[in-house]
Amino acid sequence: MSESGKRGRLGRRGLLAAGGALGALGALSTAAPAMAWTWQPSGSVVGTGEGADPRWVWDEVADPLVGSLLDSGAVPRVNELLREWTTNAQDLPKGLPTELRDFIEDARRKPEWADQRKLDLAYRFNEKRGLYLGVLYGMASGMMSTVIPKEARAVYHSYGGANMKDRITKTAKLGYDIGTPNAYSDDGSMIVTCVKTRLTHAGVRNLLPKSSNWADVAPEDIPISQADMMVTWHSLATTVNRKMVEWNVPIPPEESEAYLHSWQLCAHMLGIADEYIPASWEQANLQADQVLTPILAPTAEGVNLADILMDFGKEIDGSILSRPVIGSLTRFMLGDQVARWLMIPDEPIWDPLLNTLWGPFIAVREGLLQNFPGSQQAYWMFDEVLRQAVLLFLSRGDYPISISIPTGNRPG
């Protein structure tokens, strides 16, 4: 099997061999799949694979490596050094442990199937659709994460859950970096962001099982499986694409394919095995229907995180993205059921405005409708919501943000 095909394989035997915190875990012995994994690797970017259930696959390379760094106390120094690594092809800082340096050098190589022409076209797509992407990454993908039970619990009980603004800032960096013109080029930052995130995930896998608070509520023994990462991927890429299709945004097929390609490469760089990465939007929808849609549900942790996110825009939005607007957008994007789960109240002004006038607003913006049927004030409000969403969720690359390996779980 190729190296990319091997990536991400960490079964029970591998965990036992790794030792440390992971060695005592026994995921397979305590849980049975709620639904058989049926999506076929023939639908992946490489068209082949073993077809192993991704719920029992983690990261066989990064997990033991980061575990050894935690055990030796090297993580604080590693984080300090990695702050200096900011662009994709930049020489790595001197002083990194040899095994970590070797890992990063391998992890930052693009796969053979990466297509620079598509990546260039993806930037054009992001440039043209940036206003939509801001509100979708925030209100659709961001709020959806709070009703993905495993993700909500892992976020809440990990170190980042204690400072959601900092965590959202770092998450937003992914959405910002992938939309830049040089995202995957030598002078870009997307590969850096992905590889650092991969190391962060490995840190969480090593640390979170030590949290009794997480262990008491989590149905799994090890967080962030390959299936969990694909669920998050679908909450971003697939959900955004579905919404733009639903809104009748006219997107040339080649641009749609290019946008998908940028997220396919993101998945690979995050350490997801190629055999789980869908080759087309059709395959992405098929996989999402199995791994994302059926698992959405409320949790106490998710409700808490959603409440924090609802207030996220107060400091910079000038009342445009204030709590009522975020709540109404969440209901509009994700439906009444999700809004009820998150205890989001009805909004007598914004709910009917969005339900009635959002479609015509998009049609006017896209040149499909000549006149907006509502008032100019309503049109301006919708336009400003889009612009403020971009400011809030896609402008986080304007200052240095360092994604680091955690050294502990949620304090207290």
Side-chain angles (χ1 to χ4, degrees):
M1 182 169 48
S2 67
E3 186 61 30
S4 62
K6 293 178 182 177
R7 179 176 295 158
R9 302 246 175 267
L10 180 56
R12 177 172 170 80
R13 180 177 299 175
L15 287 172
L16 294 172
L22 294 181
L25 299 174
L28 289 176
S29 66
T30 60
M35 181 186 299
W37 171 252
T38 60
W39 191 80
Q40 296 298 312
S42 57
S44 71
V45 288
V46 289
T48 186
E50 295 181 357
D53 190 325
R55 284 171 293 185
W56 312 124
V57 183
W58 292 271
D59 193 325
E60 71 173 1
V61 182
D63 292 345
L65 168 62
V66 173
S68 69
L69 295 175
L70 287 166
D71 290 343
S72 67
V75 169
R77 177 57 177 162
V78 163
N79 284 334
E80 181 181 347
L81 290 170
L82 285 179
R83 290 180 69 91
E84 302 172 19
W85 180 39
T86 59
T87 57
N88 299 332
Q90 177 185 347
D91 289 342
L92 295 177
K94 295 180 179 179
L96 288 175
T98 301
E99 63 274 19
L100 177 61
R101 177 179 296 274
D102 291 344
F103 166 81
I104 293 175
E105 292 292 3
D106 179 67
R108 69 174 171 179
R109 293 193 189 100
K110 286 182 281 192
E112 293 181 359
W113 48 263
D115 187 328
Q116 188 59 48
R117 184 192 64 81
K118 289 182 179 179
L119 295 177
D120 292 339
L121 190 58
Y123 168 68
R124 284 172 47 193
F125 171 87
N126 280 278
E127 191 176 33
K128 290 196 298 186
R129 306 300 177 192
L131 288 175
Y132 301 145
L133 294 176
V135 73
L136 285 168
Y137 286 147
M139 305 307 152
S141 304
M143 294 303 288
M144 181 181 286
S145 70
T146 68
V147 290
I148 298 173
K150 288 185 179 181
E151 182 171 348
R153 292 187 180 109
V155 168
Y156 182 87
H157 292 289
S158 63
Y159 184 81
N163 187 346
M164 278 301 290
K165 287 195 175 182
D166 179 70
R167 185 187 184 279
I168 290 296
T169 295
K170 292 174 179 177
T171 302
K173 181 171 170 56
L174 194 76
Y176 173 86
D177 287 345
I178 201 171
T180 56
N182 57 348
Y184 293 101
S185 300
D186 287 354
D187 59 340
S189 298
M190 186 59 182
I191 293 175
V192 175
T193 296
C194 287
V195 173
K196 287 184 178 181
T197 301
R198 184 177 174 186
L199 290 169
T200 298
H201 286 166
V204 172
R205 290 191 198 97
N206 277 272
L207 292 166
L208 203 52
K210 298 178 181 179
S211 165
S212 59
N213 293 321
W214 176 81
D216 286 344
V217 296
E220 75 272 31
D221 289 334
I222 309 167
I224 318 179
S225 68
Q226 294 272 301
D228 295 331
M229 287 196 288
M230 282 309 304
V231 167
T232 300
W233 187 89
H234 287 299
S235 75
L236 288 157
T238 308
T239 297
V240 167
N241 182 66
R242 283 175 165 178
K243 284 297 173 184
M244 285 195 283
V245 170
E246 179 184 316
W247 294 348
N248 295 314
V249 177
I251 302 173
E254 62 274 15
E255 289 187 11
S256 178
E257 184 180 351
Y259 177 64
L260 171 62
H261 189 68
S262 68
W263 278 102
Q264 289 168 332
L265 190 53
C266 171
H268 176 92
M269 291 296 172
L270 287 170
I272 296 173
D274 289 350
E275 71 169 271
Y276 301 127
I277 304 173
S280 65
W281 286 124
E282 179 184 10
Q283 288 296 326
N285 287 327
L286 287 172
Q287 191 184 98
D289 287 343
Q290 178 175 8
V291 303
L292 173 64
T293 309
I295 58 94
L296 299 180
T299 60
E301 293 86 353
V303 171
N304 179 279
L305 296 177
D307 188 63
I308 295 171
L309 293 177
M310 292 274 286
D311 282 334
F312 191 51
K314 282 202 308 186
E315 295 178 6
I316 68 169
D317 75 293
S319 80
I320 297 297
L321 276 176
S322 58
R323 190 178 181 94
V325 179
I326 292 180
S328 191
L329 280 167
T330 301
R331 181 182 298 278
F332 178 71
M333 300 283 182
L334 302 180
D336 289 336
Q337 179 67 76
V338 170
R340 286 193 294 271
W341 286 342
L342 298 177
M343 303 181 186
I344 296 173
D346 293 341
E347 294 296 339
I349 296 176
W350 277 97
D351 286 354
L353 274 175
L354 288 169
N355 288 327
T356 304
L357 297 178
W358 187 263
F361 165 73
I362 296 294
V364 171
R365 281 192 58 86
E366 295 298 324
L368 304 176
L369 186 67
Q370 188 171 2
N371 297 312
F372 183 63
S375 67
Q376 281 302 112
Q377 184 181 16
Y379 183 90
W380 176 87
M381 283 194 299
F382 286 157
D383 198 61
E384 191 64 12
V385 162
L386 288 175
R387 296 182 189 282
Q388 291 293 335
V390 171
L391 176 65
L392 188 61
F393 293 103
L394 293 187
S395 299
R396 295 294 179 165
D398 297 340
Y399 58 91
I401 299 170
S402 181
I403 298 172
S404 56
I405 302 169
T407 56
N409 294 313
R410 185 185 181 99

